[in-house]
Amino acid sequence: VMTFLWGKNKTPFPIWGPPKPQKLFAASPLAVGLDPTQDYYGQGHALLSKGQHAAAVQAFENSAALYPEHAETHYCIGLCYYHMQQYPQSRAALDRCIELNPTHADALNVIGCIYHVTHDHEKAIEYYRKVLTLKPDYMLVLGNVGCLLADGRRYNEAIAAYEDALKIYPDNVGFLMELVQWRRRTCNWQGLKPYEERLITRITKHKECATPFNIGGYFPSAHLQLQNAKQWSAKHYPDSVSYNTDRPLPVTLREDKRLRIGYMSGDFNDHAMAYLITELFEQYDREQFEIRAYSTGNIDNSPAGTRMRAAFEIFNDMTALDTNQAANKIREDGIDVLVDMSGYSNKHRMDV
């Protein structure tokens, strides 16, 4: 569950993921007297920041046509393709970046990420180690190494990696949470308490946050869980707004007056949820309720998943929709009550 967290669950980043590209361009088109509309590099960054990766690729490629020796542009192309899960194209651009700048640590890291998400762990660790040779304190890669070792069930090595990372970043909440998690999972209790205390202090007194799913699983304090979840939400979804409770429900505008309930989850498949809750969906009084599903995860052909999906009057696959598209779809469907069934677990869409 904890392997892939960033990218709103559409791009399978390793837990720490690739870095953002540099915005500085030494040979800016404006600096050499070109028309401002030809600042393709700047346009690419603007599109990349909005998650418009295909359009960003086109802008960066236009920039590369003007400045073919600028390594950072090729890195940006590779990063966009990585977001789009087009790994061969990503690798080609990153290789060109490294050809121009062999010590480009960010590009080496993303190549490691490509091997990571395609399950070639030995090649991934090779590239992560290359980065750490260049930059021993590279935070993202220190995290990627720990994540990779844990993915490969090399738990003692993962624990050692996070302990080494904490020697450099002693108050890093992400490293503390991962170390606490894997020590607890492997019953490695000796010396655990100081790490737990440091983690709790960073959350309660310094207003930092760790993954809510993990905090909920390892710390029983409801107050701590709530505080951490609020701080996580404020950090990762700063543009979210409070729901307008004065707005009339859409049901008031429909002739049948049935309450329309939407269920959003990444687990409409052969998952424990299918065995636990399917009968609830089947028992709804259809004269009073209309229920719709909004899937944010993979769909399988299992009997349990098939039965659960059949219980809904309308089943919607939202895996290809970004935040605004998904929210608009739900709004346009006139949903009166939206039930999130994933929380902060895998394939969640708390952004929606």
Side-chain angles (χ1 to χ4, degrees):
V1 170
M2 300 314 302
T3 303
F4 307 117
L5 294 179
W6 308 117
K8 296 185 176 63
N9 299 287
K10 293 191 294 181
T11 300
F13 291 146
I15 189 168
W16 303 95
K20 295 179 180 179
Q22 298 294 317
K23 292 187 178 181
L24 299 177
F25 191 175
S28 168
L30 299 180
V32 294
L34 293 179
D35 187 284
T37 60
Q38 292 187 327
D39 183 11
Y40 298 117
Y41 187 77
Q43 295 170 22
H45 270 283
L47 293 165
L48 178 57
S49 67
K50 297 177 182 177
Q52 298 177 22
H53 300 118
V57 165
Q58 185 61 58
F60 286 128
E61 287 182 341
N62 289 339
S63 180
L66 293 171
Y67 305 97
E69 303 301 307
H70 185 241
E72 192 68 24
T73 300
H74 296 284
Y75 168 70
C76 292
I77 294 171
L79 183 63
C80 289
Y81 276 126
Y82 178 85
H83 279 283
M84 297 160 66
Q85 301 179 43
Q86 296 182 26
Y87 301 130
Q89 295 92 325
S90 176
R91 180 63 192 272
L94 295 168
D95 284 345
R96 176 57 177 153
C97 171
I98 293 169
E99 180 183 343
L100 294 167
N101 180 4
T103 61
H104 198 293
D106 293 345
L108 291 168
N109 177 39
V110 179
I111 292 175
C113 290
I114 291 172
Y115 282 120
H116 192 154
V117 299
T118 54
H119 308 294
D120 189 339
H121 287 190
E122 293 305 317
K123 293 294 290 186
I125 200 73
E126 174 187 333
Y127 274 86
Y128 291 155
R129 298 296 188 197
K130 287 181 180 180
V131 178
L132 293 177
T133 299
L134 296 169
K135 297 176 65 176
D137 61 346
Y138 198 141
M139 183 185 297
L140 288 174
V141 180
L142 290 169
N144 281 348
V145 169
C147 175
L148 178 70
L149 292 169
D151 283 351
R153 300 188 177 185
R154 296 158 63 176
Y155 302 124
N156 290 334
E157 293 177 73
I159 289 170
Y162 285 122
E163 288 176 342
D164 288 342
L166 284 166
K167 293 174 183 176
I168 303 174
Y169 299 102
D171 295 321
N172 184 286
V173 171
F175 293 157
L176 286 167
M177 184 70 257
E178 290 303 303
L179 179 59
V180 167
Q181 173 188 196
W182 292 112
R183 273 177 162 266
R184 280 176 169 252
R185 284 192 176 193
T186 57
C187 301
N188 189 339
W189 312 114
Q190 186 173 3
L192 174 61
K193 190 171 182 61
Y195 290 116
E196 292 181 331
E197 291 174 346
R198 279 160 59 185
L199 176 59
I200 292 172
T201 297
R202 300 309 299 180
I203 294 171
T204 58
K205 295 186 178 180
H206 298 273
K207 307 302 181 184
E208 298 181 35
C209 54
T211 312
F213 188 81
N214 270 3
I215 291 294
Y218 296 110
F219 296 92
S221 167
H223 177 77
L224 176 66
Q225 292 178 21
L226 179 60
Q227 180 180 353
N228 180 74
K230 286 182 175 180
Q231 288 163 191
W232 177 277
S233 179
K235 177 181 179 180
H236 291 280
Y237 311 112
D239 297 328
S240 62
V241 295
S242 298
Y243 182 77
N244 179 10
T245 56
D246 295 328
R247 182 178 67 89
L249 292 176
V251 68
T252 60
L253 303 176
R254 291 195 294 271
E255 292 184 1
D256 65 6
K257 300 303 179 183
R258 292 195 302 165
L259 195 67
R260 187 171 293 171
I261 302 176
Y263 286 90
M264 184 168 64
S265 174
D267 299 307
F268 289 110
N269 47 45
D270 191 23
H271 184 274
M273 185 182 70
Y275 297 90
L276 295 169
I277 201 172
T278 295
E279 190 174 357
L280 167 68
F281 302 141
E282 294 172 339
Q283 294 299 320
Y284 264 101
D285 182 346
R286 301 307 165 118
E287 293 185 359
Q288 299 187 57
F289 300 97
E290 176 187 335
I291 60 171
R292 301 189 180 194
Y294 296 90
S295 175
T296 62
N298 297 329
I299 299 171
D300 62 17
N301 294 320
S302 66
T306 301
R307 176 187 170 189
M308 178 167 57
R309 294 191 296 273
F312 294 92
E313 294 180 50
I314 297 178
F315 184 87
N316 301 280
D317 183 356
M318 297 204 304
T319 52
L321 303 184
D322 64 23
T323 301
N324 289 331
Q325 290 171 333
N328 287 335
K329 167 64 177 171
I330 294 169
R331 189 179 298 112
E332 290 168 2
D333 284 351
I335 295 299
D336 299 302
V337 179
L338 181 65
V339 181
D340 169 54
M341 296 195 293
S342 293
Y344 281 106
S345 64
N346 197 24
K347 302 181 183 68
H348 77 78
R349 290 297 299 274
M350 295 296 277
D351 54 308
V352 176

